[in-house]
Amino acid sequence: MASDPPPDDAAAAAPAANGHDNDHGNGNGPSPAKRPRAVISAAEIRAEFAHHDAAVARVNNGSFGCCPASVLDAQARWQRLFLAQPDAFYFHGLQQGVVRSRAAVAAAVGAGDVSEVSLVDNATTAAAIVLQHAAWSFAEGRFARGDAVLMLHYAYGAVKKSIHAYVARAGATVVEVPLPFPVVSADAIIAEFRAALAVAKEGGRRVRLAVIDHITSMPSVVIPVKELVAICREEGVDKVFVDAAHSIGQVPVDVRDIGADFYTSNLHKWFFCPPAVAFLHTRKDDPIASQLHHPVVSHEYGNGLPMESGWIGTRDYSAQLVVSEAIDFVNRFEGGIEGIRSRNHEKVIEMGKMLAEAWGTFLGSPPELCGSMVMVGLPGCLGVESDDDAMRVRTMLRKDFQVEVPIYYNSRRVEGQEMAKDKSGDPVTGYVRISHQVYNVREDYERLRDAINKLVSEGFTSSKLRPSEKKLRRDDLARQQSVHLKTLWPTT
């Protein structure tokens, strides 16, 4: 049996596993565009995404992203390499491959150095890393109880819960920015942010952390992060964390230009990597960088966040190792990732306007505040009156019409902002969030259009999907009985 490759051969062993030749240049990995190819054809795009369910109109790239077959093949090669000889993979391939991916990310987002980039599972993990440190600062007395943490009202649900689980529990005052929706301009967002920041500073409170989304998830709006970061600097906010889960691959990203202390984005949403991989950028000249730790403590604890994140125990790391293949894929398109972003934006605006015209509604924000996702108002007669209504309508569209699209219930109004109405004069309380990615075709959106038009023509309202009072009472009784049984016979 062949022996393990010696450490000196590690750099040569890892690239062979993912199909790259052994041209490492300065040690930051092979150039992703070394092998020019013809621009990808429509047939090749269909082949790359042939594993998608052809029966479904998938206009929801935003939730889970997508991964082309060529990148999945590269991932499978890494997985087989690990399973064939785990020890050799661990000692001679894994970290070299992770460093190569980190270098590719650093180049893609304008980081000053590969040491500024850590790879983690997703943006939620990155948020936990930052918020964990903030919680320690409260617990250890570096922050005073009552000091403020600022976040957008439309922050991602898991991040909002993390803010409360980590920093509010440790003694922070959490202040929300009540953003308007529908949004008319970036200036409206900036005005609300300034007003909320003033509230956070009342009584001489220190604002220790601002959590700002680059693109909010629901409703989806591109936030003027560079301007908000600058305001935070002017107003003495200690640290700024930009949660940009949707950004890379959807809008231009230059972390040094944005200027936040921490910036995270998922690579599996809009950058064609398999789940689950994201990056967290921290500035190397910031002393806090050495104080950040992965919430899963493993053997690499204390060796810096990039190393800690690169090994959190035995698991599948293959998603972190195929960033170069994802870049190879985007470079098959005219204009690379910039071309993809531009075309996705143009198409999603076109499809959003088509739907709005068909339904007598409007877009939830102007095109300049959209990336590759757009909010489109649903006809008010559908009567979406709760988050539960929105979820039930979404489920019905999936099951009855084979259309996959998120639905948002607009429950919050900023003071002084009237509820927008459709052409029939009905208040618009429900919105679809449509995405456009390279695999989408016009027919996907026409199917969504026709499904909603059919529901309207049939007099459908969301109330028809609500459970009856009898069923609600039956479900409530079942829950009470379950609690009673758990009290009598608790699980061990």
Side-chain angles (χ1 to χ4, degrees):
M1 179 179 293
S3 61
D4 292 347
D8 290 345
D9 291 342
N18 65 10
H20 285 296
D21 58 29
N22 191 26
D23 179 10
H24 292 94
N26 61 5
N28 284 342
S31 169
K34 289 188 306 176
R35 299 185 297 278
R37 302 179 62 174
V39 173
I40 192 168
S41 67
E44 289 173 322
I45 294 174
R46 287 194 297 271
E48 286 279 10
F49 296 99
H51 51 280
H52 285 189
D53 188 339
V56 177
R58 181 171 168 165
V59 291
N60 180 30
N61 191 82
S63 286
F64 298 104
C66 62
C67 188
S70 55
V71 178
L72 291 173
D73 289 344
Q75 181 186 30
R77 291 196 293 273
W78 277 109
Q79 290 169 329
R80 287 194 297 270
L81 185 69
F82 168 70
L83 294 172
Q85 221 310 24
D87 300 81
F89 175 86
Y90 173 76
F91 286 106
H92 307 306
L94 175 59
Q95 291 309 319
Q96 291 82 357
V98 170
V99 169
R100 199 165 45 253
S101 291
R102 288 170 48 214
V105 171
V109 302
D113 189 84
V114 67
S115 65
E116 297 183 338
V117 173
S118 301
L119 296 184
V120 294
D121 285 351
N122 48 53
T124 307
T125 303
I129 291 168
V130 174
L131 296 171
Q132 174 183 251
H133 181 270
W136 289 341
S137 296
F138 278 101
E140 295 168 3
R142 293 190 296 275
F143 296 168
R145 290 189 66 85
D147 283 352
V149 172
L150 188 68
M151 69 176 180
L152 307 188
H153 173 69
Y154 296 126
Y156 186 59
V159 174
K160 292 181 77 169
K161 289 182 178 181
S162 294
I163 288 171
H164 286 281
Y166 282 102
V167 294
R169 185 174 182 178
T173 299
V174 179
V175 177
E176 292 192 10
V177 182
L179 297 182
F181 187 80
V183 183
V184 295
S185 68
D187 288 342
I189 297 172
I190 292 170
E192 292 292 344
F193 188 83
R194 284 190 180 277
L197 186 52
V199 170
K201 295 176 68 177
E202 286 178 352
R205 269 192 307 241
R206 293 285 300 273
V207 182
R208 296 299 188 174
L209 179 67
V211 181
I212 304 171
D213 300 65
H214 197 158
I215 303 175
T216 55
S217 175
M218 287 287 267
S220 178
V221 179
V222 177
I223 302 296
V225 288
K226 183 177 178 180
E227 291 84 350
L228 298 190
V229 170
I231 290 170
C232 288
R233 301 301 183 210
E234 294 167 6
E235 297 294 330
V237 176
D238 280 11
K239 296 294 179 184
V240 181
F241 169 47
V242 174
D243 176 8
H246 285 272
S247 68
I248 186 169
Q250 191 175 168
V251 293
V253 175
D254 185 326
V255 292
R256 282 180 290 182
D257 184 56
I258 292 169
D261 300 282
F262 318 105
Y263 187 102
T264 185
S265 187
N266 291 319
L267 297 167
H268 54 255
K269 281 189 181 288
W270 295 93
F271 207 67
F272 301 103
C273 286
V277 57
F279 74 87
L280 173 62
H281 173 263
T282 56
R283 297 182 304 178
K284 64 179 179 181
D285 58 351
D286 190 336
I288 202 173
S290 62
Q291 302 170 23
L292 298 176
H293 295 284
H294 197 284
V296 176
V297 176
S298 193
H299 293 295
E300 296 292 348
Y301 185 85
N303 291 330
L305 184 61
M307 285 299 295
E308 289 185 20
S309 301
W311 181 257
I312 56 172
T314 302
R315 62 185 291 277
D316 186 358
Y317 292 90
S318 59
Q320 298 186 6
L321 300 171
V322 294
V323 177
S324 293
E325 282 76 14
I327 294 175
D328 283 345
F329 175 75
V330 302
N331 283 336
R332 294 168 64 187
F333 289 79
E334 184 177 357
I337 194 63
E338 293 82 2
I340 292 172
R341 283 198 308 254
S342 177
R343 287 185 292 274
N344 280 341
H345 173 74
E346 291 172 2
K347 283 293 184 183
V348 82
I349 296 297
E350 178 187 347
M351 294 299 98
K353 289 180 176 179
M354 180 270 288
L355 293 173
E357 182 177 357
W359 299 337
T361 60
F362 44 83
L363 303 186
S365 59
E368 62 269 22
L369 296 183
C370 302
S372 304
M373 299 190 296
V374 168
M375 305 298 296
V376 185
L378 287 167
C381 63
L382 295 181
V384 177
E385 297 179 1
S386 67
D387 291 332
D388 288 340
D389 278 355
M391 183 57 71
R392 283 189 283 262
V393 172
R394 176 179 181 175
T395 301
M396 180 188 64
L397 288 173
R398 179 188 306 123
K399 291 183 175 181
D400 296 350
F401 296 94
Q402 289 73 54
V403 173
E404 189 60 63
V405 66
I407 297 180
Y408 170 67
Y409 166 58
N410 188 26
S411 61
R412 187 179 179 87
R413 307 178 201 177
V414 172
E415 186 176 348
Q417 184 184 25
E418 294 184 5
M419 183 67 75
K421 297 180 179 180
D422 63 19
K423 287 185 177 179
S424 298
D426 295 321
V428 175
T429 55
Y431 294 77
V432 292
R433 187 193 73 188
I434 62 170
S435 300
H436 193 282
Q437 189 48 286
V438 297
Y439 55 80
N440 283 121
V441 294
R442 184 180 180 88
E443 289 74 18
D444 296 332
Y445 307 92
E446 291 175 340
R447 194 188 303 183
L448 170 59
R449 176 199 64 192
D450 296 345
I452 297 299
N453 284 344
K454 184 175 188 293
L455 293 174
V456 171
S457 69
E458 293 175 349
F460 168 86
T461 66
S462 298
S463 61
K464 294 182 179 180
L465 298 177
R466 296 172 194 158
S468 65
E469 288 298 322
K470 182 177 181 180
K471 183 178 186 303
L472 288 172
R473 288 195 297 270
R474 186 169 65 246
D475 290 346
D476 186 54
L477 178 61
R479 281 193 295 270
Q480 293 177 21
Q481 290 174 337
S482 176
V483 170
H484 179 64
L485 289 172
K486 287 181 180 178
T487 302
L488 293 175
W489 296 290
T491 57
T492 57

